[in-house]
Amino acid sequence: MSRSKVRNILLLKQIHSAVTHIKKGKLDKALETLDKAEDSARKAKATDAVYYILFMRGGIYYTESKYDEALETYEKALDAGSELLKNDPENTNYQHYMGTTLSNTGNLLKRKGENPQAVEYYVRARETYENLLAKEPENAVFRSAAGENLNNYAALLTDMGSFEQACEVLSQAIELYEKLLEEKPENLGYQAELAVALSRLGNCLVQQGPEKSDTAKQSLEKALTMQENIFNQQPEDATIKDAIALTRERLEKLETMKIQEKPENLENLENSENQEKQENLEEQETLENPEKLEQEKPENPEKLEEQERPETLENLENPENSEKPEKL
C-alpha cells in the first residue's frame, strides 16, 4: 500500500474519532484529534479535508463560547474553501460548505456585536444558497440551510430596526420551510424552523404599527400552535420551551398594545355619541313641550347659576380632573 493511501486512511480515522468525541461531548479530546488530523491532511495536501477539519474546530470553539478563536478558525476555513472553489467552481458540496461557514461566521459576528460585518456574511451566504438552489431547487439540505441563514439574518435586521427588510427575508424563509413541510410534514426540525420564522415575523410586524397587528397575531398564533405540538412530542427539550415562552411573550405584548390603544379612543367616541344623543333628546323635548321650559324655570336663576358654575367651570379649566379610563 502506498504511503499516500496510508495517510488517507489515517486521516479518515482521525476525523471519525473527532466526530465521535464531539457526539459524546468530549470537546477537548475532539480538538486534540482534529489537530492531528489537520497535520495529516496538510501532509497529504488534502485541502477538502483541511477545510472540513477547520469547520469542525470552529464549531467547537463556538460551542465553548471562545468567539475569537472560532472567528479566526472560520476565516481559515473560508480561505480553504475559496481555494477549493477556484479549482472546482461548480462543486455544489464545496458551495454548500462555504454557505454554511459564511452563515456561521455571521452568527458569530452578531454575537460579538459586530453587526455591519455580520450583515455582509449573511448576505454572502444568502447569495451562495440562491445560486445553489438555482442549480438544485429540490435539494432539501440546501433549502433547509438557506432557510436557517435567512432566519438568523432576519433576526439581526430586526435588532437593527430594519423591520420592513426583515419581514421580506422572513417571508422567504417561511416559503422555503412551508414547502419542505409539505414534503415531510412530520419533520420536527422543519416545524421548529418554520415556527421560529413565523414568531419572528409576528414580532417584526408588531414593530411596524397597529395597522399590522391582526396579521402579526395570526403569525404568532400559528407559531405557538406548532411549538406546542413539538413540545408535546419532546417535553424535555429546553430549546422549544424557551421558544414557546418567547412567542407567548410577544402575543401578550401585542394584546397589551391593543388594550392601551383601543379603550381611550372607544370611550371618547362613545362619550361623544352619548352627548350628542342627549342634546338631541333635550332639543326634541323642548320643541315638543315649550311650556315645560317655562314650568321648570327656577324662581332664582341667579342662585342656581351660582351653584352649578364652579363644577362646570372647574371641569373646563382642569379637564384632567374629569373621569378618565384607567390605563391598562
Side-chain angles (χ1 to χ4, degrees):
M1 185 180 293
S2 67
R3 182 175 296 180
S4 61
K5 287 185 178 180
V6 171
R7 283 178 177 172
N8 288 337
I9 292 173
L10 175 61
L11 174 60
L12 290 173
K13 287 183 177 180
Q14 289 169 333
I15 291 176
H16 178 73
S17 176
V19 171
T20 302
H21 287 316
I22 291 172
K23 290 180 178 179
K24 292 181 178 180
K26 298 178 180 180
L27 300 185
D28 290 340
K29 286 286 186 182
L31 287 172
E32 290 177 9
T33 306
L34 288 174
D35 288 341
K36 296 175 183 178
E38 183 180 356
D39 183 61
S40 299
R42 292 192 182 279
K43 287 178 180 179
K45 296 183 180 181
T47 306
D48 53 350
V50 170
Y51 174 86
Y52 186 59
I53 290 164
L54 290 169
F55 178 79
M56 291 173 64
R57 184 185 292 134
I60 292 173
Y61 284 143
Y62 196 152
T63 301
E64 294 183 326
S65 300
K66 296 178 180 178
Y67 301 133
D68 291 334
E69 291 91 334
L71 182 58
E72 181 182 353
T73 305
Y74 279 144
E75 287 174 346
K76 290 179 180 178
L78 289 170
D79 289 340
S82 297
E83 185 178 340
L84 288 170
L85 285 172
K86 282 181 182 178
N87 298 324
D88 191 0
E90 298 303 314
N91 190 307
T92 55
N93 286 327
Y94 293 165
Q95 292 177 43
H96 171 46
Y97 296 153
M98 282 291 284
T100 304
T101 309
L102 288 165
S103 186
N104 285 355
T105 305
N107 295 339
L108 180 58
L109 290 166
K110 176 178 179 289
R111 186 173 288 274
K112 286 169 63 68
E114 300 177 18
N115 291 347
Q117 294 87 341
V119 167
E120 177 186 342
Y121 281 90
Y122 283 135
V123 170
R124 288 174 62 189
R126 183 183 188 182
E127 292 171 350
T128 299
Y129 280 112
E130 285 175 349
N131 292 333
L132 274 173
L133 292 175
K135 298 174 183 176
E136 299 186 24
E138 301 304 316
N139 189 306
V141 174
F142 296 167
R143 283 185 286 164
S144 180
E148 186 175 350
N149 176 66
L150 292 171
N151 253 342
N152 294 328
Y153 179 31
L156 175 61
L157 290 171
T158 302
D159 291 344
M160 297 172 66
S162 301
F163 302 122
E164 186 173 346
Q165 188 179 0
C167 285
E168 180 267 322
V169 172
L170 285 167
S171 296
Q172 187 178 355
I174 288 168
E175 182 180 357
L176 284 170
Y177 278 111
E178 283 180 338
K179 289 181 179 178
L180 286 168
L181 269 178
E182 286 178 5
E183 299 164 11
K184 293 185 177 181
E186 302 304 318
N187 188 302
L188 295 182
Y190 295 161
Q191 292 179 37
E193 286 293 335
L194 176 57
V196 167
L198 288 166
S199 183
R200 286 177 175 167
L201 178 62
N203 180 56
C204 187
L205 290 168
V206 168
Q207 307 301 323
Q208 295 186 68
E211 66 276 5
K212 296 190 177 181
S213 59
D214 289 341
T215 306
K217 184 177 180 181
Q218 292 174 4
S219 184
L220 289 168
E221 288 178 338
K222 186 175 180 180
L224 184 59
T225 299
M226 296 183 71
Q227 288 166 343
E228 289 175 338
N229 175 62
I230 297 171
F231 177 74
N232 290 335
Q233 299 179 62
Q234 297 181 343
E236 302 304 319
D237 190 334
T239 302
I240 195 63
K241 289 180 183 179
D242 291 341
I244 289 172
L246 181 58
T247 302
R248 285 176 176 168
E249 180 183 330
R250 288 168 174 168
L251 272 169
E252 290 170 4
K253 178 181 177 182
L254 176 60
E255 292 302 319
T256 300
M257 289 174 59
K258 285 185 176 181
I259 291 172
Q260 287 177 339
E261 291 172 1
K262 185 177 179 181
E264 183 176 355
N265 296 333
L266 182 60
E267 185 166 341
N268 288 340
L269 179 61
E270 290 176 347
N271 288 341
S272 177
E273 291 177 348
N274 291 337
Q275 183 178 358
E276 185 177 354
K277 287 180 181 178
Q278 183 64 30
E279 290 174 353
N280 290 338
L281 286 172
E282 291 176 357
E283 183 179 359
Q284 183 178 357
E285 185 176 357
T286 301
L287 291 173
E288 292 177 353
N289 303 286
E291 68 282 358
K292 186 176 181 181
L293 183 61
E294 292 296 325
Q295 293 173 357
E296 294 181 353
K297 185 177 180 180
E299 295 180 3
N300 191 347
E302 184 177 343
K303 184 176 180 181
L304 179 59
E305 182 181 355
E306 183 179 348
Q307 291 174 346
E308 293 179 348
R309 184 175 178 275
E311 181 182 353
T312 306
L313 181 60
E314 183 178 353
N315 287 342
L316 289 172
E317 294 177 349
N318 300 288
E320 69 274 9
N321 292 336
S322 58
E323 184 177 352
K324 291 185 178 180
E326 182 180 355
K327 292 186 178 181
L328 301 179

